[in-house]
Amino acid sequence: MKRSGSTPNHAILIRRRFLQTGVLGAAATVVHPALGAARTVNALPPAPEVKAFELEEVTIDALQEGMKSGKDTSRTIVEKYLQRIEEIDKDGPAINSVIEVNPDALEIADRLDRERKERGVRGPLHGIPLLLKDNIDTADKVMTTAGSLALAGAPKPAKDSWVAERLRHAGAVILGKTNLSEWANIRSNHSTSGWSGRGGLTKNPYVLDRNPCGSSSGTGAGVSANLAAGGIGTETDGSIVCPSSANGLAGIKATVGLVSRTGIIPISHSQDGAGPMCRTLRDAAIVLGALTGVDAEDRYTSDSEGKSYRDYTQFLDVHGLKDARIGVGRKYFGFSDGVDAIMAEAMDLMRKEGATLIDPADIDSFGKFDDSELLVMMYELKADMEQYLARLGPGSPVKTLKDLIDFNDHNAQKEMPYFGQDLFLKAQAKGPLTSREYIDALEKNHRLARVEGIDAVMDKFKLDALIAPTGGPAWMTDLINGDHFTGGSSNAAAVAGYPNINVTAGWMFGLPIGISFFGRAWSEPTLLRLAYGFEQATLARKAPRFLASAKLD
């Protein structure tokens, strides 16, 4: 989950969801004039020594071209990324984004190199190293723990998750697992994003004392720091788009059901989803195409039949904003003058690119489903977690949510040194999914977020998509007090189960600021077209500099 928020009053949802909640060119650092003045007076600290990296900012297409020409092989590419992980993730700036490296990665790369020579290439991901969040099952030597010591000794999954299986089928090399906010930020309302009992704390690669946002914090930080060609995150509410924003990535949170959740440690089956987090939107579109399909073990995927694609790059259009009608979710603004200024620049650019902006185009049900969202999550967490734990078999040391609670109590020094498990306790108190309270809350969520929410405003103004700031600049990590989330826009698409795409819009004090494009169910092709047109018009992504601090002098 992440945290996002609609209004300051919704502190509980803000915690989790990342629950709730001259133009932007590559050289731009600050847009707001007042911030710009402060920036010139108070210089940022110097960056630590980090070696130049041959594969810095390289794309999937460029890696494929290198293998095609013979300049590189999958093995040499994997070797370079493994060295990079040692130099800056485990040493140097010590981002601490990779919780475990796949010991078989080089052997897998060798097999794929032989296959390339003997039988040709499977597709655009053949031989490409990717990182997976540590809540996605892999039936290999790498653990799947959601960052918790409770699962560190659990039996390995009997088979790959759908996501891992589809990536292997496409020829990707699973390079390792990334750290995350423990249990995807659903254990406590006072947690610190990017921290887990097993993995410790992940840092933001742009400014090391800042937070990578969460819960896909490790994927966000690691991919941004060029530790792999791309990665996979998961989202319940904001945990793909928020770390994508905070780490300067293109992230795709798909319609619920487009990508199967089988084999992913859950929070909420009505909102959970996995998706790509990459340095470019084209790379993210390539990865997304490998993940789609109908899975008999995830009934939600049956709705994707006839609505999914194996190649999402076909929808990328450098002129994608031309003649588009885009609504501005103005109620998601106002938490930061600097972010509002960046959004104003972004909207001016969209108009210059031929888009018509309807401003405001607010969701009438804004703020009306915050409490019911959390209620649904508490019910589904208990039921879904126990269903997942059953997959681990009778040898698993934990079989129920109560077992996890007891483990944390018995290992509080390691598992709960900074925050507790108040949300686990709330979920444990809930009844079955046949409870009237749950059924009514779920119906309310879908009605207010879908029919009377995103669908209604898009029908009213005949929109192709909605936009809003994804979030603010990364806050300073504070293990004592927890996260300091200021605002965001992920909650409507999350509760509706609708798609949401983040790309970088601009910069504040060396920190990336993202913009979200979201809309109707199964509208990924339209959102990709619009977001890609914006991304290509701005080229705002910049590689991290690993600054020690962004604090003013």
Side-chain angles (χ1 to χ4, degrees):
M1 195 163 240
K2 148 202 152 204
R3 292 126 165 60
S4 75
S6 47
T7 71
N9 293 330
H10 304 301
I12 290 180
L13 294 188
I14 282 177
R15 261 255 38 92
R16 35 196 5 41
R17 298 176 192 166
F18 255 113
L19 242 186
Q20 295 184 185
T21 30
V23 171
L24 326 177
T29 302
V30 178
V31 176
H32 193 275
L35 295 177
R39 176 70 170 75
T40 60
V41 173
N42 302 285
L44 292 172
E49 287 292 329
V50 174
K51 290 182 182 178
F53 182 46
E54 179 185 347
L55 301 182
E56 182 170 276
E57 299 299 284
V58 71
T59 64
I60 290 173
D61 288 339
L63 289 173
Q64 286 296 350
E65 186 57 39
M67 288 186 281
K68 181 180 179 180
S69 70
K71 173 182 175 292
D72 265 315
T73 63
S74 180
R75 182 185 180 91
T76 63
I77 292 168
V78 169
E79 287 175 335
K80 291 170 186 176
Y81 280 125
L82 289 174
Q83 182 64 30
R84 174 78 165 179
I85 290 170
E86 284 300 315
E87 289 177 354
I88 72 164
D89 198 62
K90 305 309 174 191
D91 202 355
I95 304 303
N96 195 39
S97 64
V98 178
I99 199 169
E100 189 173 359
V101 168
N102 185 355
D104 295 328
L106 289 172
E107 180 184 340
I108 294 168
D110 286 340
R111 289 202 303 265
L112 290 164
D113 284 334
R114 289 194 297 270
E115 182 180 328
R116 180 184 290 267
K117 289 180 179 179
E118 296 169 3
R119 289 184 284 174
V121 178
R122 299 187 192 186
L125 289 180
H126 190 115
I128 301 295
L130 300 175
L131 289 166
L132 273 61
K133 187 176 178 180
D134 181 39
N135 61 349
I136 302 173
D137 283 354
T138 53
D140 53 20
K141 295 175 184 176
V142 183
M143 290 188 285
T144 306
T145 67
S148 172
L149 296 171
L151 292 183
K156 298 293 178 61
K159 62 179 182 177
D160 278 339
S161 61
W162 169 274
V163 166
E165 187 277 329
R166 295 307 303 165
L167 290 174
R168 292 193 209 275
H169 179 76
V173 179
I174 296 177
L175 191 62
K177 296 283 184 70
T178 56
N179 195 26
L180 70 163
S181 309
E182 186 173 312
W183 295 113
N185 249 342
I186 196 65
R187 197 187 85 191
S188 172
N189 199 45
H190 309 287
S191 64
T192 292
S193 291
W195 183 89
S196 71
R198 179 181 169 224
L201 181 66
T202 296
K203 304 173 188 174
N204 189 305
Y206 287 95
V207 180
L208 300 176
D209 64 2
R210 299 271 157 172
N211 197 273
C213 199
S215 66
S216 304
S217 44
T219 302
V223 172
S224 187
N226 286 274
L227 304 185
I232 305 295
T234 67
E235 175 164 330
T236 305
D237 187 335
S239 277
I240 287 175
V241 294
C242 183
S244 293
S245 175
N247 294 280
L249 298 180
I252 303 175
K253 179 265 179 191
T255 305
V256 171
L258 186 67
V259 178
S260 171
R261 289 80 53 83
T262 298
I264 297 177
I265 297 175
I267 292 177
S268 162
H269 62 262
S270 63
Q271 293 187 203
D272 287 350
M277 299 168 64
C278 299
R279 291 179 293 274
T280 70
L281 194 54
R282 178 174 174 82
D283 285 353
I286 290 170
V287 175
L288 181 63
L291 302 179
T292 61
V294 175
D295 174 18
E297 293 189 64
D298 184 349
R299 62 182 178 84
Y300 278 62
T301 62
S302 62
D303 292 337
S304 73
E305 191 162 10
K307 305 182 187 75
S308 67
Y309 300 86
R310 290 296 186 195
D311 178 14
Y312 280 91
T313 65
Q314 64 182 300
F315 303 110
L316 304 178
D317 182 356
V318 69
H319 302 297
L321 289 167
K322 183 175 173 58
D323 298 326
R325 287 181 60 83
I326 299 174
V328 179
R330 184 58 63 175
K331 288 184 179 179
Y332 287 114
F333 289 58
F335 59 85
S336 164
D337 289 345
V339 172
D340 286 353
I342 289 171
M343 288 296 296
E345 295 273 4
M347 290 185 285
D348 285 345
L349 180 143
M350 291 182 199
R351 294 184 184 99
K352 291 175 183 176
E353 292 292 312
T356 298
L357 268 63
I358 292 80
D359 183 9
D362 284 315
I363 296 170
D364 287 341
S365 56
F366 178 88
K368 296 180 180 178
F369 44 81
D370 295 338
D371 293 341
S372 56
E373 179 188 14
L374 182 58
L375 181 61
V376 166
M377 284 187 186
M378 294 296 93
Y379 273 97
E380 293 186 352
L381 171 63
K382 183 180 180 181
D384 295 355
M385 184 68 75
E386 294 181 0
Q387 185 176 33
Y388 170 83
L389 293 173
R391 289 171 55 88
L392 301 180
S396 174
V398 287
K399 298 177 175 61
T400 65
L401 180 61
K402 181 62 164 56
D403 290 343
L404 296 178
I405 292 169
D406 290 343
F407 179 91
N408 292 335
D409 283 337
H410 295 150
N411 298 273
Q413 189 172 7
K414 293 180 179 179
E415 275 293 344
M416 299 192 294
Y418 305 112
F419 55 88
Q421 53 182 339
D422 49 289
L423 291 175
F424 269 15
L425 292 170
K426 287 181 180 179
Q428 177 60 26
K430 296 302 179 188
L433 298 186
T434 53
S435 301
R436 174 51 58 185
E437 182 183 46
Y438 164 75
I439 294 170
D440 289 346
L442 183 61
E443 184 280 329
K444 177 183 177 182
N445 281 351
H446 288 169
R447 173 171 47 82
L448 292 179
R450 295 175 180 177
V451 180
E452 298 176 21
I454 292 174
D455 293 339
V457 71
M458 293 188 73
D459 286 343
K460 179 179 179 180
F461 295 112
K462 298 180 173 56
L463 302 176
D464 295 303
L466 291 155
I467 59 167
T470 306
W475 59 89
M476 289 185 67
T477 294
D478 182 352
L479 285 165
I480 296 174
N481 297 303
D483 288 333
H484 305 294
F485 188 76
T486 54
S489 60
S490 64
N491 63 328
V495 175
Y498 286 3
N500 192 358
I501 295 177
N502 174 84
V503 291
T504 302
W507 297 83
M508 288 176 61
F509 297 100
L511 294 164
I513 303 296
I515 182 172
S516 286
F517 293 79
F518 56 102
R520 302 178 189 276
W522 319 111
S523 64
E524 284 84 357
T526 298
L527 299 182
L528 281 166
R529 172 172 58 84
L530 301 176
Y532 185 76
F534 178 82
E535 178 198 54
Q536 294 303 298
T538 61
L539 297 177
R541 159 78 188 176
K542 295 184 290 187
R545 291 177 54 205
F546 310 101
L547 298 173
S549 176
K551 292 182 289 187
L552 299 181
D553 294 337

